[in-house]
Amino acid sequence: MKTLIAYATKTGTAEKAAEMIAEKLNEKPDVVNIGTSKTPDLSAYDFILVGGPIHMGRVNKAVKKFLAKNKKVLLSKRFGLYLACGYPEEIEKYFNAILGEGLKPRAEILSDIGYAYYLEKMGPIAQKVVFEFVKINETVEAYKPEAIQAIADTINK
């Protein structure tokens, strides 16, 4: 089965998640940063996994644009979405906002893969916000290994 993991990232969280998922798949997927690279022909894939961060309370623009632009193709494929979210109690709000009623019921994967704060990759304003709201001043990785494994298990079916 040919799989595409298409992600966008600001500080590397969604990219690292894509790499962790790719390592657990039975067949090597194509992994593409849709924020910086051209999107490949989606018709060539059996499963399309889209991933991105929630940054400062907002869904990544490149992810939203990719999903909207490719809605018709995604509805004809196996697909899923993972988000890196530091506020798991709000994850459904983000899934609803990004997928809407058209795509959400068809997604085989809707996953919160945890979060990471890579302060060295953030600008000074983002660092200050993270410190003020989250009360951290060093890099934190809080990925959910069980969520990463569940994503891989679903794709490997």
Side-chain angles (χ1 to χ4, degrees):
M1 179 175 68
K2 192 156 169 115
T3 300
L4 171 67
I5 302 176
Y7 71 90
T9 191
K10 283 206 175 278
T11 62
T13 306
E15 178 178 25
K16 185 160 184 180
E19 292 166 357
M20 290 188 290
I21 294 163
E23 288 175 7
K24 295 185 176 297
L25 296 181
N26 294 337
E27 296 179 31
K28 186 178 189 292
D30 291 337
V31 181
V32 175
N33 182 338
I34 55 176
T36 60
S37 300
K38 184 179 177 197
T39 303
D41 177 10
L42 300 183
S43 68
Y45 296 95
D46 302 302
F47 198 105
I48 301 167
L49 179 64
V50 182
I54 302 300
H55 184 73
M56 307 289 258
R58 295 196 174 129
V59 176
N60 183 284
K61 287 180 186 178
V63 172
K64 284 173 43 175
K65 183 178 175 182
F66 177 87
L67 290 167
K69 179 181 175 186
N70 296 295
K71 181 177 179 179
K72 186 175 180 179
V73 174
L74 292 171
L75 287 170
S76 70
K77 300 278 184 183
R78 294 181 66 207
F79 82 96
L81 173 67
Y82 71 85
L83 294 174
C85 182
Y87 298 95
E89 65 279 359
E90 295 187 17
I91 195 73
E92 278 304 311
K93 172 181 90 172
Y94 295 118
F95 287 139
N96 291 334
I98 197 169
L99 293 173
E101 293 179 18
L103 285 173
K104 188 177 177 195
R106 293 268 301 125
E108 289 186 41
I109 296 168
L110 293 174
S111 184
D112 171 8
I113 53 90
Y115 62 93
Y117 294 108
Y118 298 113
L119 297 181
E120 68 279 2
K121 296 181 181 180
M122 294 179 181
I125 293 172
Q127 286 179 359
K128 183 175 171 117
V129 169
V130 167
F131 180 75
E132 291 293 322
F133 288 100
V134 187
K135 307 292 188 222
I136 64 165
N137 58 6
E138 61 187 27
T139 291
V140 171
E141 288 186 333
Y143 294 99
K144 297 178 178 178
E146 69 283 358
I148 301 291
Q149 186 62 56
I151 291 169
D153 291 345
T154 299
I155 294 171
N156 286 330
K157 283 196 251 179

